[in-house]
Amino acid sequence: MKITSLWKGEKFTLSFEVFPPKTDSAFESVKTATEEIAKLKPSFMSVTYGAGGGTSRYTLEIAKNILKKYNVPTLAHLTCVSSTKETVHKKIEEIRSSGIENVMALRGDIPAGMEDADRSKWDYRYAIDLVRELKASGADFCIGGACYPEIHPESTDQKEDIRHLKEKVDAGCDFLTTQMFFDNNLLYNFLYKIREAGITVPVIPGVMPITNANQVERAIKLSGSFMPQRFKSLVDRFGKNPAAMKQAGIAYATDQIIDLFANGIKNVHIYSMNKPDVAERILRNLSDILN
Ligand code: FAD
């Protein structure tokens, strides 16, 4: 099922992101965690590709398992930046033949040490190159792209970032998912600007429940997200008490989602980080709203 078809109705939907194991030995535990999340029947699940320390080897295996065993639509992530055309063609064919219809087309982060390399020799420089490749494959994929309400860290100018985003969408993105953010006003402002720039595809806001204090630093490093004072106070007050921090982090994410729903957003993606208990608690908090 193409996930864009899920967003046509009036109902609110929640989807969850999971990541593949970093090592072979972690495969079974990650598979179990993703199955526990699938049992909660989210609208769809995305599986990252080589992000957050996860390997790219298991993305498809995890995605296929969720789709086949639990009938939850899946979105397989794919990056292109350090890949050859041959590898990318092979991956696209693997996704197509596995029956997965949704692909998140990403550039990926520039590998360490290659920041100053001559990029003109690379097969893929930007995510738009992968979007074009997916289109050229002839497979009828539903294609997603990433977007950044607080600007991509390599961009210095939001106008320029949005101009490149528009080119990426015009090349064939059917929807966009945002980087995490902790202040909804940043998203509302971003949506206003991209709509003004002529980007009309659905935009799915990504919300990250921060459930332990260590995650905060990693999240800021990864996303460069602005931390509102309300959020900082919560980490200051509860950061040293794991159970309290988890409860407060879930409540903060729940609040963010309710505010998004109240302001016209119908579909939210949760960076659930392979944590079924967190996914379950958020769904429970929103049970009447989602029904
Ligand atoms: P792009 O769209 O190519 O943009 C990257 C930068 O290049 C931006 O600054 C953009 O403005 C600029 N740019 C684009 N086109 C041009 C052009 N023609 N000329 C000049 N500049 C240009 N990483 C992973 O490794 N695996 C994952 O599974 C993964 N999942 C993600 C999911 C989401 C929802 C998000 C938001 C990010 C994810 N990432 C993942 C991280 C992502 O790979 C990085 O943020 C990466 O640095 C940029 O990827 P992109 O696809 O947004 O790149």
Side-chain angles (χ1 to χ4, degrees):
M1 174 194 281
K2 290 190 178 172
I3 56 176
T4 41
S5 70
L6 299 164
W7 307 322
K8 298 227 159 91
E10 280 311 304
K11 275 190 113 167
F12 296 119
T13 67
L14 279 192
S15 47
F16 292 112
E17 180 162 301
V18 294
F19 55 83
K22 292 176 194 159
T23 57
D24 293 343
S25 58
F27 177 73
E28 281 307 322
S29 63
V30 168
K31 185 172 161 221
T32 305
T34 61
E35 290 189 354
E36 291 303 312
I37 295 176
K39 284 181 198 162
L40 299 169
K41 291 282 169 208
S43 64
F44 74 90
M45 285 171 71
S46 68
V47 187
T48 65
Y49 186 88
T55 62
S56 46
R57 273 189 27 227
Y58 292 112
T59 298
L60 262 191
E61 207 165 328
I62 300 269
K64 264 192 307 194
N65 182 54
I66 295 163
L67 178 66
K68 301 265 149 67
K69 205 159 165 187
Y70 296 95
N71 204 22
V72 172
T74 48
L75 166 65
H77 290 206
L78 183 61
T79 64
C80 62
V81 72
S82 47
S83 302
T84 60
K85 282 212 173 248
E86 195 190 353
T87 313
V88 167
H89 290 170
K90 201 165 146 236
K91 279 283 165 193
I92 292 175
E93 180 46 31
E94 277 172 24
I95 298 174
R96 196 198 55 74
S97 60
S98 70
I100 290 167
E101 293 177 75
N102 308 288
V103 183
M104 187 72 176
L106 298 144
R107 186 195 70 179
D109 285 324
I110 306 290
M114 287 178 75
E115 295 85 353
D116 299 323
D118 176 4
R119 298 185 192 184
S120 64
K121 295 196 174 66
W122 294 0
D123 282 348
Y124 303 95
R125 294 169 70 185
Y126 300 108
I128 189 174
D129 304 328
L130 180 56
V131 175
R132 290 186 177 130
E133 200 74 88
L134 286 160
K135 282 288 189 197
S137 74
D140 185 20
F141 289 123
C142 169
I143 303 172
C147 64
Y148 304 83
E150 295 174 75
I151 314 184
H152 184 273
E154 286 164 35
S155 296
T156 46
D157 176 343
Q158 191 172 41
K159 257 198 171 152
E160 193 68 4
D161 206 25
I162 291 178
R163 193 169 64 77
H164 294 311
L165 184 63
K166 169 91 166 67
E167 288 164 1
K168 182 163 75 175
V169 171
D170 290 347
C173 289
D174 298 293
F175 70 95
L176 297 168
T177 307
T178 77
Q179 181 59 284
M180 68 185 87
F181 54 90
F182 298 95
D183 178 345
N184 287 359
N185 287 325
L186 293 165
L187 177 87
Y188 302 139
N189 197 279
F190 174 71
L191 284 179
Y192 177 79
K193 288 181 181 161
I194 65 167
R195 296 310 185 208
E196 225 187 8
I199 297 172
T200 57
V201 293
V203 176
I204 312 305
V207 169
M208 163 87 87
I210 299 284
T211 53
N212 67 68
N214 299 335
Q215 228 183 317
V216 179
E217 213 171 294
R218 258 182 290 138
I220 301 177
K221 202 168 154 219
L222 193 77
S223 65
S225 301
F226 164 70
M227 294 278 163
Q229 189 52 47
R230 194 164 79 84
F231 187 80
K232 283 191 205 149
S233 309
L234 179 154
V235 179
D236 285 348
R237 181 69 183 85
F238 302 116
K240 291 202 170 65
N241 177 339
M245 183 60 224
K246 192 168 186 174
Q247 192 164 47
I250 289 171
Y252 190 92
T254 304
D255 242 29
Q256 260 194 290
I257 299 166
I258 292 174
D259 181 74
L260 291 167
F261 285 163
N263 282 284
I265 305 289
K266 286 197 309 205
N267 317 285
V268 175
H269 195 53
I270 315 280
Y271 294 114
S272 50
M273 309 290 290
N274 299 0
K275 292 177 183 156
D277 58 329
V278 173
E280 196 271 329
R281 283 166 72 172
I282 290 182
L283 280 171
R284 201 174 342 130
N285 286 348
L286 296 165
S287 57
D288 287 335
I289 291 173
L290 292 169
N291 264 327

